[in-house]
Amino acid sequence: MASTGSSDDDLSDWEGPVDVDLDDPPSKQMNPWSVVTGVTKWIGLGKSKKLWTQLAGHQGSFQAGESQTVLKKLLDRERQAYVKIQSDPLKDFTPGYRGEVQKQGETYIQLQDLLSGFTCPCVMDVKMGCRTYHEVELKKARENPVLRKDIYKKMTNIDPDAPTQEEREKQGVTKARYLRWRDEMSSSVNLSFRIEGIRKDDGSSSKGFKQVHLRDEVREKFRFFLGGNKIALETYVKRLEAIKAAEESSEFFSKHELVGSSLLFVHDSEKANIWVIDFGKTQALPEGVKIDHRSPWVEGNHEDQYLQGLDNLIAIFTELANDT
Ligand code: I3P
């Protein structure tokens, strides 16, 4: 077990490295693919190999691809986003897109393996924006509330006191209510980004950041993630600035609402990089609707506050750089 370097409550979520016997094909094992938000990679350690742990996203969405690629189950919105991004300034900041492939009756998009070329990297997934649901989901939940027991359970696992009296009686919550609550509990609403997961270079990982809410708490998690690596910190500050410049000049970015998209931070002892990933919930803005990605969201305006989150990230990483 590894410590997150801060509050004890994270430790319950912290998992050690996963060892897999290669004589037993991964598909037969309990945790078949080691994935970090769409990025699959084996680290060779003789017969037994360590697996990455999935830090975010749906289990089972990924497969290892050929020649330094990963396969991600096709979501039409995401495919469309990658196709459009190929002729946009954002292209330099997203995984290389190699089209669609069929495997075992499923369609996947083929993406560059972002961890390729790193040695025992530290990886962090930061989900961007002030909300992780579409406005239409709120509308649907009001008109036809579907109470889900599975996410009620997820909610009470995080905070037994979170459900209302009515939700407790029905033992269910709507997905929209759960996602909104998650956004408020974490730093999505107050900082317009949140930490989804961190994996350290020893293979330990955690998704236990659901209640990391305050700026200072987030900052300490970043400090822990960096582990005193100055090269990574300096590279991250520059790369965040470059992503901001690209997004501010991007036609794609100006015409889309980005919900549930992440920044993937990766570093080892020698190098670092950040990529913009996860476009499964990215959608074109309705005709005539404009957002600046910074203004406060009110239902109906489609704002995602992505750039607000990026400004906050840049400010925190710059503070950390100035502290060292
Ligand atoms: C899940 C997370 C996923 C979402 C999933 C949530 O919550 O928000 O993004 O899937 O919905 O349960 P958590 O991070 O707390 O585990 P989508 O992105 O597809 O909406 P689901 O339970 O309907 O799969």
Side-chain angles (χ1 to χ4, degrees):
M1 295 284 272
S3 157
T4 58
S6 56
S7 63
D8 287 347
D9 55 0
D10 291 329
L11 295 178
S12 58
D13 286 295
W14 202 261
E15 293 171 3
V18 184
D19 283 323
V20 169
D21 181 352
L22 287 186
D23 290 340
D24 186 13
S27 58
K28 289 189 193 156
Q29 298 183 19
M30 269 179 59
N31 186 6
W33 295 103
S34 65
V35 185
V36 179
T37 324
V39 182
T40 308
K41 172 96 174 144
W42 298 87
I43 303 175
L45 286 176
K47 191 175 162 212
S48 168
K49 294 193 175 188
K50 285 196 169 59
L51 286 179
W52 296 108
T53 305
Q54 183 163 344
L55 291 182
H58 290 275
Q59 294 287 336
S61 298
F62 299 95
Q63 294 244 6
E66 310 255 305
S67 43
Q68 301 183 349
T69 62
V70 292
L71 306 182
K72 183 174 185 186
K73 265 192 195 157
L74 182 131
L75 296 167
D76 202 49
R77 277 200 186 110
E78 186 157 51
R79 184 188 59 77
Q80 283 179 33
Y82 275 111
V83 168
K84 289 180 193 163
I85 285 169
Q86 298 319 295
S87 53
D88 188 271
L90 262 191
K91 184 176 181 220
D92 293 343
F93 301 89
T94 51
Y97 173 66
R98 319 250 186 276
E100 294 169 40
V101 288
Q102 298 283 331
K103 197 169 175 182
Q104 291 149 0
E106 292 268 8
T107 309
Y108 294 84
I109 54 169
Q110 196 167 207
L111 300 171
Q112 172 197 355
D113 176 356
L114 299 176
L115 305 196
S116 170
F118 286 91
T119 307
C120 297
C122 296
V123 184
M124 176 169 70
D125 181 298
V126 173
K127 197 174 263 195
M128 299 302 292
C130 62
R131 70 190 150 85
T132 55
Y133 50 86
H134 289 134
E135 294 184 352
V136 69
E137 294 181 68
L138 290 180
K139 195 164 171 265
K140 274 191 202 154
R142 273 195 301 267
E143 287 166 2
N144 180 25
V146 177
L147 297 178
R148 282 180 49 183
K149 284 197 189 327
D150 60 332
I151 51 179
Y152 174 85
K153 212 168 158 199
K154 283 214 260 188
M155 184 185 237
T156 51
N157 282 344
I158 300 169
D159 179 2
D161 298 328
T164 61
Q165 185 59 34
E166 192 186 348
E167 287 164 349
R168 216 177 295 281
E169 280 159 17
K170 295 183 173 155
Q171 297 276 298
V173 291
T174 65
K175 179 168 170 181
R177 146 89 168 123
Y178 172 74
L179 294 184
R180 191 167 196 163
W181 172 79
R182 282 274 281 113
D183 294 350
E184 282 162 2
M185 291 292 291
S186 64
S187 58
S188 293
V189 168
N190 56 327
L191 293 175
S192 299
F193 71 80
R194 71 170 178 240
I195 302 172
E196 282 286 297
I198 290 179
R199 181 204 179 278
K200 291 286 280 185
D201 52 3
D202 63 359
S204 59
S205 65
S206 179
K207 293 190 251 181
F209 305 98
K210 296 183 173 65
Q211 289 167 295
V212 176
H213 175 75
L214 299 174
R215 194 179 190 279
D216 283 354
E217 293 169 335
V218 171
R219 195 169 179 268
E220 286 319 300
K221 301 297 176 196
F222 288 160
R223 197 194 292 281
F224 164 71
F225 168 64
L226 287 158
N229 184 330
K230 284 186 192 169
I231 299 173
L233 179 51
E234 282 164 18
T235 311
Y236 284 151
V237 173
K238 285 188 198 135
R239 183 77 170 171
L240 288 169
E241 295 278 10
I243 290 172
K244 178 173 155 181
E247 288 178 343
E248 285 178 333
S249 68
S250 157
E251 193 186 343
F252 175 84
F253 199 72
S254 71
K255 292 189 170 167
H256 287 78
E257 175 181 353
L258 277 82
V259 170
S261 179
S262 286
L263 292 179
L264 193 74
F265 292 65
V266 186
H267 68 263
D268 62 17
S269 56
E270 292 176 353
K271 55 195 175 303
N273 214 334
I274 306 175
W275 287 273
V276 182
I277 60 166
D278 288 346
F279 302 104
K281 286 182 165 181
T282 291
Q283 63 180 13
L285 288 162
E287 197 62 37
V289 172
K290 284 206 182 312
I291 60 175
D292 61 14
H293 300 279
R294 283 195 175 89
S295 298
W297 172 65
V298 283
E299 198 175 337
N301 76 357
H302 289 269
E303 188 49 78
D304 58 25
Q305 291 199 301
Y306 187 117
L307 288 175
Q308 180 65 38
L310 196 49
D311 291 341
N312 286 331
L313 272 176
I314 291 170
I316 296 172
F317 273 87
T318 304
E319 272 170 35
L320 288 169
N322 292 339
D323 278 1
T324 55

